[in-house]
Amino acid sequence: MATHNDFSNGLPVDVPAATAWAALEHMEHWLPNLATVRSVEADADAANFSRSSAVSPTNSVVLKTGHRYLVRTSEGPVMHCRIAEVDTGTGLVHIEARLGPLRSCLLCSVEPTGPCACVLRRRQTYPGMIGRLFTLCFGRREGNETTAYLRAWTDYARDLADRR
């Protein structure tokens, strides 16, 4: 699963791709279910912060290129995240994060496989020497987080599908 500083996995899901994408758009609701995440909130200091979101401005994440948000880890440090790219046509979101000198690149995608099915994919990399050292120490945790992330995303997508 992990090769040096790269963690990736995919999970087939029995929901329409549009529903899985909607679940990704509401990540602030399910990300705190991960053992490694305490909270998710919008970065109120970011110039592109949108107060028009239907979700409370204190915790909303908007899948819009340039949007910034914060992820407080379970240990307390805060990762500063930025949506680097959103491609609704291919179902891809690229998120960049930093915590001091540590950098992370996260790719999430929704791949349709049928009218009511898709594959959710997550790939997280930690570039550079700091990333390599981080994954040397926390590789098992990051591999587990990849699996937990996909499960939490899947559960939320299924809940959305049930409500529709």
Side-chain angles (χ1 to χ4, degrees), residues 25 27-28 40-42 53 59-63 67 69 83:
E25 289 178 325
M27 72 172 75
E28 70 273 2
V40 178
E41 55 198 58
S53 174
N59 70 351
S60 68
V61 174
V62 179
L63 287 189
H67 180 78
Y69 63 98
I83 307 291

Side-chain angles (χ1 to χ4, degrees), residues 43-83:
D43 185 348
D45 295 329
N48 64 337
F49 179 64
S50 169
R51 297 194 182 275
S52 64
S53 174
V55 180
S56 167
T58 60
N59 70 351
S60 68
V61 174
V62 179
L63 287 189
K64 176 181 165 188
T65 300
H67 180 78
R68 297 179 187 277
Y69 63 98
L70 307 172
V71 174
R72 185 170 308 280
T73 67
S74 56
E75 299 85 5
V78 177
M79 294 198 71
H80 296 264
C81 306
R82 182 180 75 83
I83 307 291

